[in-house]
Amino acid sequence: MTERRLLIAGNWKMHGLHREGVALAAALAEKAASHQSAHGPLHLDLLICPPATLSREVSETLAESVISVGGQDCHTLERGAHTGDVSAAMLKDAGCSYVIVGHSERRADHGENNDQVKIKAAAAHACGLTAIICIGETREQRDRGEAMAIVGSQLAGSLPDEANASNTVIAYEPVWAIGTGLVATVADVAEIHAGVRAGLAKALSDADAVRVLYGGSVKPDNAAELMELEDVDGALVGGASLDADDFWAIAATCL
Ligand code: 13P
């Protein structure tokens, strides 16, 4: 079995004014640095995805840190008359190396569909960003027994042709578990992640090396049991990533 390096990613969503965002990034950099000086190199990847207004500032704050910076969305195009949008090239220019695409909040708030998510992921790849493609079912879909089918079709529909293990990460985030304190059971997460892995195998030659994250109310007290699952390769953390101690505690379950 391919050894996959875990990725613990924080999605700050629409949180973080300048001062608090920089302070949070600096606090995490400090925790990572003191862990490294005590124990040597980290055996996982750390990422924070601040709002686009803070990408550059957070990147500069983390310039000496192992922690990477990502965007939360990008446009399908590199530039143009698209008021209010941010391109992958702009995120890259501001110091990002990852970008989240297809988050369920984008799918719900902005009506994004798999076709658009696929083009966004391709746009990210075209300028050298790693795309974190989000997929996940709603409560109603789960209750109807459609979770695996929905997740499978989102995966197949959102993966661009050039996707591979080095430019793509998948995040399974059941919509009903986001920001609710409800977490999918370990058995449900294991089942969906195994299904995602099987879906990846149909589409990619290096599917075994693709990281598949879990997201949805990941907290310090539930992270360990989720992160030890065979097909869970890290976490995409929302609320708990806004607190340096909590985010670090989640990462520490994997150190
Ligand atoms: P919460 O951790 O706040 O549930 O958010 C998860 C999420 O949507 C991360 O992208």
Side-chain angles (χ1 to χ4, degrees):
M1 201 196 81
T2 310
E3 192 65 26
R4 293 179 295 268
R5 193 174 159 90
L6 296 188
L7 170 63
I8 304 294
N11 174 9
W12 291 2
K13 308 191 179 183
M14 199 168 69
H15 296 283
L17 299 179
H18 177 254
R19 192 190 298 260
E20 65 204 22
V22 169
L24 177 53
L28 288 168
E30 168 63 34
K31 287 177 186 294
S34 58
H35 184 91
Q36 285 172 284
S37 60
H39 304 285
L42 294 185
H43 299 297
L44 51 73
D45 291 334
L46 292 172
L47 167 69
I48 53 186
C49 301
T53 47
L54 291 182
S55 301
R56 177 174 297 282
E57 198 76 26
V58 166
S59 300
E60 286 171 3
T61 304
L62 298 176
E64 305 297 320
S65 174
V66 292
I67 305 173
S68 301
V69 180
Q72 298 178 9
D73 173 55
C74 65
H75 197 271
T76 54
L77 299 172
E78 198 174 325
R79 69 177 68 79
H82 301 287
T83 303
D85 280 313
V86 174
S87 72
M90 290 168 177
L91 292 170
K92 171 100 174 166
D93 186 51
C96 294
S97 47
Y98 289 77
V99 61
I100 298 167
V101 292
H103 192 283
S104 61
E105 288 153 11
R106 300 284 319 170
R107 292 179 189 257
D109 295 354
H110 300 272
E112 290 184 10
N113 59 31
N114 294 335
D115 289 343
Q116 287 163 307
V117 174
K118 178 177 180 169
I119 302 171
K120 286 180 178 215
H125 294 158
C127 60
L129 296 181
T130 298
I132 301 179
I133 300 176
C134 299
I135 53 179
E137 82 287 357
T138 63
R139 181 79 253 173
E140 296 71 33
Q141 290 164 335
R142 174 158 286 274
D143 289 346
R144 287 198 298 266
E146 296 169 355
M148 197 64 248
I150 293 290
V151 165
S153 72
Q154 288 177 337
L155 179 69
S158 307
L159 265 183
D161 294 342
E162 75 289 349
N164 61 44
S166 45
N167 65 17
T168 302
V169 172
I170 306 299
Y172 167 57
E173 300 202 306
V175 178
W176 49 271
I178 294 176
T180 58
L182 301 171
V183 190
T185 65
V186 166
D188 287 341
V189 175
E191 184 191 3
I192 297 279
H193 277 243
V196 169
R197 181 82 49 210
L200 287 167
K202 287 189 203 142
L204 309 181
S205 58
D206 60 355
D208 207 31
V210 176
R211 295 184 287 187
V212 183
L213 314 184
Y214 170 78
S217 296
V218 176
K219 307 285 180 213
D221 61 359
N222 60 25
E225 61 179 4
L226 293 163
M227 296 306 111
E228 70 190 26
L229 294 173
E230 181 174 324
D231 279 306
V232 174
D233 309 309
L236 184 53
V237 184
S241 73
L242 297 172
D243 181 288
D245 290 336
D246 282 354
F247 188 64
W248 186 259
I250 290 168
T253 64
C254 311
L255 285 170

